[in-house]
């Protein structure tokens, strides 16, 4: 993949995300003007009475809007810092941003209040959010293990295999559209297995990055930032309270800055 192609993809991602954010904000404004309550609330869970951990559908909605803002900020950082740098990590990291973009389809479930329906729109949004949960740990794993210069000629092939594998797994995992979770995801099977595989993939990536930095005698700031990105994304996906919303924002923003800033410094040195 040439630099020009990568930069164009990055710009298109920014433009599409911005258009999506503006469209969602317009829909929110329209709902407020027409005095339509949103988002629909779920029954409060027991044992979560403290306000920081209390369930709030508005926190879920805020987390999804933050995802869009985060994608916009990350694409700007990538364009500014890596516009003339052939960094393989950035390409796979952009794939991670695409995974976050698919997860924002949950906003549609909230805005159109389709949690208790059996519509094709609900199933489509459910598949999109499931696809993002399958794709993001794979993209983060490949960001580390396939970022060496020897793999650059195979980037297009690797991306194709990642997307093909994620699409296959998404179609393989059945959805239960009769149940919508309190974070506005459609319930799906093999949840524990998917969480375990995703966590294991990110842990492998962290260990590989730690070993890589140690081998090249570079500091471990990228390792810390990468770990915060992986953890922040996992928290963001389950956010339904103020505490987890704040935690995910801190982890993702700090981790992304540390990882991309230090990665940029390393490419300038080498």
């Amino acid at each position: 993949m040439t630099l020009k192609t990568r930069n164009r993809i990055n710009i298109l991602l920014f433009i599409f995300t911005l258009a999506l954010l503006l469209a969602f904000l317009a829909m929110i404004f329209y709902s407020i003007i027409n005095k339509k309550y949103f988002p629909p609330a779920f029954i409060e869970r027991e044992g979560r009475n403290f306000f920081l951990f209390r369930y709030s559908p508005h926190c879920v909605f805020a987390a999804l809007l933050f995802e869009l803002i985060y994608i916009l900020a990350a694409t700007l950082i990538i364009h500014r810092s890596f516009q003339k740098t052939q960094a393989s990590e950035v390409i796979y990291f952009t794939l991670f941003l695409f995974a976050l973009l698919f997860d924002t389809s949950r906003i549609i479930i909230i805005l159109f209040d389709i949690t208790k329906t059996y519509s094709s729109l609900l199933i489509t949004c459910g598949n999109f959010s499931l696809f993002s949960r399958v794709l993001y740990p794979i993209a983060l794993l490949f960001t580390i293990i396939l970022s060496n210069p020897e793999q650059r000629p195979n980037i297009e092939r690797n991306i194709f295999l990642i997307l093909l594998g994620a699409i296959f797994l998404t179609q393989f995992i059945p959805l239960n559209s009769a149940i919508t979770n309190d974070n506005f995801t459609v319930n799906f099977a093999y949840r524990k297995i998917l969480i375990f595989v995703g966590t294991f993939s990110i842990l492998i990536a962290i260990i590989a990055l730690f070993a890589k930095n140690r081998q090249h005698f570079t500091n471990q700031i990228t390792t810390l930032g990468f770990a915060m990105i992986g953890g922040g994304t996992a928290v963001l996906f389950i956010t339904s309270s103020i505490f987890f919303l704040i935690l995910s924002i801190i982890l993702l923003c700090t981790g992304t800055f540390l990882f991309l800033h230090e990665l940029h410094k390393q490419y300038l040195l080498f």
Side-chain angles (χ1 to χ4, degrees), residues 99-200:
L100 293 184
L101 186 63
F102 275 95
D103 184 59
T104 60
S105 61
R106 288 187 283 155
I107 296 179
I108 297 174
I109 298 177
I110 300 174
L111 289 174
F112 290 94
D113 192 12
I114 55 175
T115 55
K116 297 178 182 179
T117 67
Y118 298 94
S119 64
S120 57
L121 181 60
L122 178 64
I123 295 173
T124 301
C125 292
N127 278 316
F128 280 169
S129 61
L130 176 58
F131 176 73
S132 69
R133 282 154 176 74
V134 173
L135 179 60
Y136 97 87
I138 301 175
L140 289 179
L141 177 64
F142 276 40
T143 299
I144 305 304
I145 65 173
L146 292 181
S147 61
N148 52 314
E150 292 79 9
Q151 287 292 332
R152 283 177 186 168
N154 303 320
I155 286 177
E156 289 88 350
R157 184 200 64 184
N158 294 336
I159 291 175
F160 174 76
L161 291 175
I162 292 173
L163 293 175
L164 185 65
I167 292 172
F168 173 79
L169 289 174
T170 301
Q171 295 302 314
F172 175 76
I173 300 174
L175 293 175
N176 183 2
S177 58
I179 301 175
T180 305
N181 301 310
D182 60 4
N183 63 343
F184 298 96
T185 56
V186 179
N187 200 41
F188 54 88
Y190 312 117
R191 179 180 295 272
K192 292 182 179 179
I193 296 176
L194 190 60
I195 292 173
F196 173 78
V197 172
T199 304
F200 183 74

Side-chain angles (χ1 to χ4, degrees), residues 15-158:
I15 294 173
F16 182 78
T17 305
L18 180 61
L20 203 60
L21 177 61
L22 293 175
F24 285 143
L25 290 176
M27 294 171 69
I28 294 169
F29 181 74
Y30 176 81
S31 298
I32 294 174
I33 292 298
N34 287 271
K35 298 180 180 180
K36 294 182 178 180
Y37 174 77
F38 76 97
F42 284 80
I43 298 174
E44 174 59 56
R45 294 179 183 178
E46 295 182 1
R48 294 174 59 177
N49 295 323
F50 187 57
F51 79 98
L52 285 177
F53 299 98
R54 187 180 302 147
Y55 169 72
S56 170
H58 296 89
C59 287
V60 182
F61 197 78
L64 293 170
L65 290 178
F66 167 73
E67 279 188 86
L68 291 170
I69 297 171
Y70 171 79
I71 295 169
L72 291 174
T75 51
L76 283 177
I77 293 173
I78 290 172
H79 184 73
R80 180 177 179 180
S81 301
F82 298 93
Q83 185 177 8
K84 299 180 181 179
T85 306
Q86 189 70 44
S88 301
E89 293 93 340
V90 171
I91 298 174
Y92 296 110
F93 189 80
T94 302
L95 199 61
F96 160 72
L97 297 179
F98 272 103
L100 293 184
L101 186 63
F102 275 95
D103 184 59
T104 60
S105 61
R106 288 187 283 155
I107 296 179
I108 297 174
I109 298 177
I110 300 174
L111 289 174
F112 290 94
D113 192 12
I114 55 175
T115 55
K116 297 178 182 179
T117 67
Y118 298 94
S119 64
S120 57
L121 181 60
L122 178 64
I123 295 173
T124 301
C125 292
N127 278 316
F128 280 169
S129 61
L130 176 58
F131 176 73
S132 69
R133 282 154 176 74
V134 173
L135 179 60
Y136 97 87
I138 301 175
L140 289 179
L141 177 64
F142 276 40
T143 299
I144 305 304
I145 65 173
L146 292 181
S147 61
N148 52 314
E150 292 79 9
Q151 287 292 332
R152 283 177 186 168
N154 303 320
I155 286 177
E156 289 88 350
R157 184 200 64 184
N158 294 336

